[in-house]
Amino acid sequence: MTSPLQQKIKITGPSVVTANRTDDGVVIYRTGSGGWSTELADAAIVREADPARALLAESVADDIGAVGAYIAPVKLGGDGAVIPGNLREQIRKTGVTIALPAQA
Amino acid sequence: MYAYDEIDRTLVNERVAEFRDQVQRRLSGELTEDEFKVLRLMNGVYLQLHAYMFRVAIPYGTLSSAQLRKLAHVARKYDRGYGHFTTRQNIQFNWIALKDLPDALADLAEVGIHAMQTSGNCTRNVTADQWGGVAPDEVEDPRVWAEILRQHTALHPEFSFLPRKFKFAITAADHDRAAIKVHDIGLRLIKNDAGETGFEVLVGGGLGRSPFIAKTIKPFVPGRDILSYVEAILRVYNQYGRRDNIYKARIKILVHELGIEKFAAEVEQAWREIADGPLTLDDEMIEDIRSRFVYPAYEKLSAEPAELRAAAADPRFEAWRKNSVAPHRQPGYAIVTLSLKPVGGPPGDATAEQMDAIADLADKYSFGEIRVGHEQNLALPHVAKRDLPALWAALDAIGVATPNVNLVSDIIACPGLDYCSLANARSIPIAQELTRRFANHETANLIGRLHVNISGCINACGHHHVGHIGILGVEKNDQEVYQITIGGRADEHAKLGELIGPAVPYAEVADVIEDIVEAYLALREKPEELFVDTVKRLGVEPFKERVYATR
């Protein structure tokens, strides 16, 4: 399988690096301070390929904390809010679009 | 039920200990994700959008009540209180933490359940007719042979690193309830003119990106030779199957590119080298496996008990009985299908409470046995007819008596974009909306047998290619759109559906399906002509005209 770092990085707008937390799979976002947050609002925003590549590289390097890091598109609201850039990322951020059969 | 022995228990327990060590090393950083991924996949652990997903094997769809209770326990203790039954007779848990997985596996091992070979490029869980051993139309119980195959292929070193995953399905009846023609190897148990038991062997079926209906490679292989023959098929596949391109790696591509005649010739050559060798099954070995299937001590009961006659006055009971109760090989008994397709519910999901209740009902009414079907419903395989009214009331109380089995709202659906990292579009909300549109039982009955299958991506876990109506979600310009096919079927007359036209947006899918169904009702020659037969008679054009005339 091709490493995410070997894949061609194409950025068409503001983007973040996201992954899943290793021990429980929870969705996380790479922050500007070299850590991870479960809040998209805390994510480091990149707009060009080189910074995106650098952010992805440091994210992938944290192999213990995170799994499957990749670059995901976001949109920026007028109030500065960070909004997922597509439905897949929206669902990752806010959860399934259906009522769960049960909630333990 | 099949009774596991000490060897099985040791194997399962050792596997738990091994995986516990692997998880510990992953969490400590000793193993990288690249190193760990192949190990977790060998234990049914995927990473999905929100969490890890844990797929547990249910060989040939047979569960004991104790096993179902343990699945409920895992759902409750380690997940979010429910599980999802799949088109391969497995169950998936969607929210489990990696750190909890070894404990969950250990708990399951107490009742002989594991997750081996539910993922990875190996021979996967062997599936079979969920009515095996009780269906009146079967040659013999196909699960005996499924178990022989399971034992032979379990952790088989030669077949643990195949070019791609490999799936067996077995049926022993003329009517195929196991969808054998869309499996890598499909086996149909038959008797030849001499009365000898054997198999029609089919190969190269599969759905996904490149769908194919399996072809018969050998019309009759004696039962004693079945292991050596399928081993020969797997050897040819292992040797020639493509490893350079994941999209061309399944055996169906090899069979298609070589042609069935050339592929069969290769298999014959490979078989000659191993036939009549150690893989030949003698009667004693077959009987040993057969003897470990414990069948209920059926009573001699009336085929028309008074309880049933009395309950017939209740139209709700009668609607359910006519829909969900099937004949049993034993007089006085019936097979009962439990619909996991409630109106507005996610197809195939069951809560821990429902699983516990079903386990109790299985103990009370079905000799402690439950079956899982590839249509994502459950079944109680040994119910005395006199108990049907009481059972129905209990099933109705827990929401698994919707009388829609094989009707338009008995939808097969994959988890789709709500859960799955491969999906491009959602499946479950589409299914839910359709169940609401067709909630009226009289209308659904009027429509008759109609299978709607939905997949959220081209990998086709929802078997959309072989739905009478197939719905495939794709992504176009960041929007979910859905391609509709009609005329597919997964039974003994298996056929791939035909596309009716351009994809339609998410919001229009249910309207389109309603249009198709209305067109069918107007076009069918008589009420007995099933949807799929009307499509066969008329082709897709009349349906296409109806759907796109105003769009």
Side-chain angles (χ1 to χ4, degrees):
Chain A
M1 196 170 137
T2 310
S3 158
L5 297 176
Q6 293 171 317
Q7 293 167 6
K8 192 172 180 184
I9 291 175
K10 193 175 168 189
I11 298 281
T12 55
S15 302
V16 300
V17 170
T18 181
N20 293 81
R21 198 159 59 195
T22 300
D23 69 346
D24 58 8
V26 165
V27 174
I28 49 178
Y29 303 94
R30 190 69 175 175
T31 67
S33 56
W36 296 97
S37 172
T38 55
E39 300 298 324
L40 177 58
D42 297 335
I45 309 290
V46 288
R47 292 178 172 78
E48 293 169 359
D50 283 346
R53 192 176 292 113
L55 189 65
L56 183 61
E58 68 168 57
S59 304
V60 169
D62 179 14
D63 187 65
I64 297 180
V67 180
Y70 64 94
I71 296 168
V74 291
K75 295 169 190 163
L76 301 179
D79 55 356
V82 186
I83 302 161
N86 56 38
L87 179 61
R88 183 180 196 273
E89 293 307 320
Q90 178 67 44
I91 290 173
R92 286 182 79 244
K93 178 179 183 294
T94 55
V96 298
T97 64
I98 54 175
L100 295 183
Q103 188 72 48
Chain B
M1 286 298 300
Y2 180 79
Y4 282 151
D5 62 15
E6 198 50 41
I7 293 173
D8 297 305
R9 285 189 285 274
T10 301
L11 177 72
V12 170
N13 287 328
E14 285 180 352
R15 185 63 170 237
V16 174
E18 181 185 70
F19 191 55
R20 188 181 295 283
D21 176 63
Q22 291 162 350
V23 169
Q24 200 166 23
R25 287 192 286 147
R26 170 64 187 130
L27 291 173
S28 71
E30 196 180 331
L31 288 178
T32 66
E33 177 59 17
D34 282 350
E35 292 164 337
F36 179 67
K37 186 176 179 182
V38 65
L39 303 175
R40 68 170 159 81
L41 287 176
M42 286 179 174
N43 292 281
V45 181
Y46 289 75
L47 184 61
Q48 299 288 36
L49 290 186
H50 318 278
Y52 290 95
M53 182 272 278
F54 179 38
R55 182 183 293 154
V56 177
I58 303 173
Y60 35 88
T62 297
L63 278 173
S64 70
S65 55
Q67 289 173 327
L68 185 57
R69 272 191 205 94
K70 195 62 83 173
L71 292 170
H73 159 81
V74 167
R76 191 178 289 117
K77 183 169 181 182
Y78 304 106
D79 209 85
R80 294 194 180 179
Y82 67 97
H84 174 74
F85 290 97
T86 77
T87 51
R88 297 216 74 252
Q89 298 177 312
N90 293 318
I91 187 169
Q92 295 177 176
F93 299 102
N94 288 301
W95 303 96
I96 203 156
L98 182 59
K99 57 186 168 53
D100 291 335
L101 273 160
D103 289 340
L105 267 175
D107 291 353
L108 292 172
E110 291 172 7
V111 290
I113 309 185
H114 57 78
M116 283 181 268
Q117 296 178 224
T118 59
S119 176
N121 294 334
C122 57
T123 47
R124 300 286 188 88
N125 184 36
V126 178
T127 57
D129 184 346
Q130 70 270 23
W131 293 358
V134 292
D137 59 342
E138 69 184 18
V139 172
E140 60 178 70
D141 190 343
R143 297 172 307 151
V144 173
W145 298 93
E147 176 60 23
I148 289 170
L149 275 169
R150 187 197 71 78
Q151 291 191 16
H152 180 63
T153 58
L155 305 183
H156 192 311
E158 192 177 334
F159 306 136
S160 293
F161 299 95
L162 293 167
R164 198 75 179 87
K165 58 188 169 184
F166 201 93
K167 300 172 181 177
F168 286 91
I170 305 180
T171 184
D174 287 338
H175 177 50
D176 177 9
R177 286 175 287 266
I180 68 166
K181 291 190 175 180
V182 291
H183 280 75
D184 296 287
I185 288 181
L187 298 174
R188 192 165 71 87
L189 195 58
I190 51 178
K191 283 194 187 295
N192 65 8
D193 293 341
E196 188 186 14
T197 299
F199 294 90
E200 178 189 0
V201 180
L202 298 97
V203 68
L207 300 173
R209 186 175 300 264
S210 306
F212 289 100
I213 299 299
K215 299 166 183 70
T216 299
I217 182 171
K218 207 167 180 65
F220 188 82
V221 174
R224 64 177 178 277
D225 294 324
I226 195 62
L227 281 190
S228 61
Y229 191 74
V230 299
E231 181 122 339
I233 293 175
L234 276 155
R235 283 192 175 177
V236 170
Y237 171 53
N238 216 359
Q239 183 173 2
Y240 295 116
R242 288 182 62 170
R243 294 172 191 270
D244 61 322
N245 184 337
I246 192 173
Y247 302 122
K248 295 183 183 295
R250 295 288 291 270
I251 195 172
K252 61 189 175 183
I253 304 293
L254 181 64
V255 172
H256 176 69
E257 291 188 349
L258 280 182
I260 186 65
E261 291 80 13
K262 185 160 172 29
F263 182 82
E266 294 281 348
V267 171
E268 282 294 319
Q269 191 177 336
W271 191 36
R272 274 197 293 274
E273 293 170 13
I274 56 174
D276 301 322
L279 291 178
T280 304
L281 293 161
D282 60 37
D283 290 345
E284 194 182 337
M285 294 159 83
I286 297 168
E287 282 313 308
D288 179 50
I289 299 293
R290 199 189 309 277
S291 70
R292 287 202 258 165
F293 278 88
V294 181
Y295 294 92
Y298 297 115
E299 296 176 64
K300 283 190 175 171
L301 298 175
S302 165
E304 292 183 28
E307 293 88 341
L308 209 51
R309 287 197 300 274
D314 182 341
R316 285 189 69 230
F317 171 78
E318 272 300 275
W320 172 80
R321 186 189 63 78
K322 286 177 181 169
N323 173 265
S324 304
V325 178
H328 195 283
R329 69 174 189 188
Q330 182 73 19
Y333 285 82
I335 306 165
V336 173
T337 298
L338 280 52
S339 171
L340 297 184
K341 318 291 174 65
V343 173
D349 283 9
T351 65
E353 287 67 33
Q354 285 174 321
M355 288 189 248
D356 275 339
I358 292 166
D360 291 346
L361 292 171
D363 281 340
K364 192 170 180 182
Y365 297 115
S366 183
F367 296 91
E369 198 172 319
I370 303 102
R371 304 289 178 81
V372 185
H374 88 272
E375 300 92 347
Q376 300 178 291
N377 289 318
L378 301 180
L380 296 180
H382 318 285
V383 179
K385 284 185 172 179
R386 67 179 177 207
D387 294 333
L388 286 170
L391 174 63
W392 167 70
L395 295 175
D396 192 39
I398 60 169
V400 294
T402 309
N404 63 351
V405 175
N406 290 326
L407 299 180
V408 62
S409 57
D410 184 7
I411 296 168
I412 291 176
C414 71
L417 189 57
D418 279 295
Y419 294 98
C420 180
S421 60
L422 298 175
N424 302 116
R426 287 171 288 169
S427 302
I428 296 171
I430 298 282
Q432 290 174 310
E433 177 59 17
L434 286 173
T435 64
R436 291 184 199 103
R437 298 280 182 109
F438 293 102
N440 183 288
H441 181 65
E442 282 69 36
T443 305
N445 251 347
L446 180 73
I447 296 164
R449 189 180 187 112
L450 206 174
H451 296 292
V452 178
N453 295 1
I454 309 174
S455 301
C457 79
I458 195 66
N459 293 300
C461 294
H463 292 189
H464 64 275
H465 296 294
V466 288
H468 294 180
I469 297 176
I471 303 172
L472 166 63
V474 298
E475 180 257 320
K476 189 176 179 186
N477 299 326
D478 274 348
Q479 299 297 314
E480 298 166 285
V481 294
Y482 294 81
Q483 297 174 355
I484 314 290
T485 53
I486 59 173
R489 57 197 299 172
D491 59 7
E492 61 277 14
H493 305 296
K495 185 177 180 299
L496 303 174
E498 195 175 336
L499 196 64
I500 62 162
V504 297
Y506 176 86
E508 292 181 28
V509 174
D511 291 341
V512 167
I513 304 306
E514 279 193 321
D515 283 351
I516 291 171
V517 171
E518 282 174 15
Y520 155 66
L521 291 174
L523 290 164
R524 69 183 181 186
E525 280 187 328
K526 52 189 176 184
E528 295 77 33
E529 184 178 65
L530 300 183
F531 173 85
V532 74
D533 293 326
T534 303
V535 176
K536 185 179 177 185
R537 180 169 57 84
L538 297 174
V540 302
E541 279 306 317
F543 297 92
K544 185 176 183 176
E545 281 171 24
R546 172 64 184 258
V547 168
Y548 295 102
T550 56
R551 287 186 173 84

